[in-house]
Amino acid sequence: MASDFKELEELVMEDMRRVYSEQVIDHFQNPRNLGEIPDSDGFSTITGPCGDTLEISLRVRGDRIINANFWTDGCGPSIASGSMTTELAKGKSIAEARSITQNDIMNSLGGLPEENEHCALLAANTLHEAIKDYIALKKEPWKKGYRRR
Ligand code: FES
């Protein structure tokens, strides 16, 4: 029974390797920075046209992102994209993080199948909105009290 399960697991992995890069599989199976930063300095949630939602929360100190987390209810590539996006954002200045693109995320993941490229776009857009939220709160910190999360 256990060996049947092992064989099935290996078949599933073989199928995944045919479609996804090692980096995508790694970030999908072992997502980095999963969860939400409580009382974050910048937060965004976007539901893409596919119906999947991705959230990013940021901890910023001195205009540098010292922590970035994500959550998604989406597909494997959206988990990998959220994971990689937060890894790319961490340690970057706000200006540097703003220029992280869909292509940067896809390249860091070793590419995505064409039908999953929008997953990286969702992650890039969510990061950019979280940065906008940070900038808006920096200008008007009192608005944080009206934020639901
Ligand atoms: Fe919706 Fe991947 S299919 S984010």
Side-chain angles (χ1 to χ4, degrees), residues 48-54 72-79 81 115-120 122-123:
C50 61
D52 295 334
T53 299
L54 200 139
T72 184
D73 62 2
C75 60
S78 76
I79 296 170
S81 296
E115 64 268 25
N116 293 118
E117 289 182 355
H118 72 273
C119 312
L122 178 62

Side-chain angles (χ1 to χ4, degrees), residues 7-148:
E7 268 177 41
L8 184 66
E9 205 180 356
E10 200 35 58
L11 281 174
V12 170
M13 280 308 290
E14 254 180 62
D15 270 359
M16 280 178 71
R17 282 192 210 102
R18 256 182 242 126
V19 180
Y20 301 116
S21 70
E22 281 302 320
Q23 295 97 309
V24 170
I25 295 170
D26 178 35
H27 277 264
F28 163 45
Q29 292 186 324
N30 311 291
R32 280 63 148 186
N33 316 309
L34 186 61
E36 188 180 330
I37 298 172
D39 194 30
S40 62
D41 300 310
F43 176 81
S44 168
T45 178
I46 297 183
T47 301
C50 61
D52 295 334
T53 299
L54 200 139
E55 299 178 355
I56 288 185
S57 50
L58 304 174
R59 175 74 64 232
V60 184
R61 289 293 173 269
D63 263 9
R64 191 160 292 275
I65 296 172
I66 61 165
N67 206 1
N69 276 22
F70 84 98
W71 173 87
T72 184
D73 62 2
C75 60
S78 76
I79 296 170
S81 296
S83 174
M84 182 55 82
T85 301
T86 50
E87 282 291 276
L88 290 172
K90 280 202 300 186
K92 298 257 189 330
S93 69
I94 288 297
E96 288 165 343
R98 270 178 117 168
S99 62
I100 293 173
T101 64
Q102 175 191 21
N103 269 338
D104 294 332
I105 298 160
M106 289 198 301
N107 289 339
S108 301
L109 285 171
L112 279 172
E114 204 178 327
E115 64 268 25
N116 293 118
E117 289 182 355
H118 72 273
C119 312
L121 180 62
L122 178 62
N125 288 343
T126 309
L127 173 64
H128 298 157
E129 285 303 312
I131 291 171
K132 273 191 206 164
D133 184 51
Y134 161 72
I135 292 168
L137 286 176
K138 205 173 143 191
K139 281 186 196 148
E140 296 176 295
W142 59 269
K143 281 190 175 167
K144 203 168 186 176
Y146 289 87
R147 209 167 62 170
R148 278 188 288 154

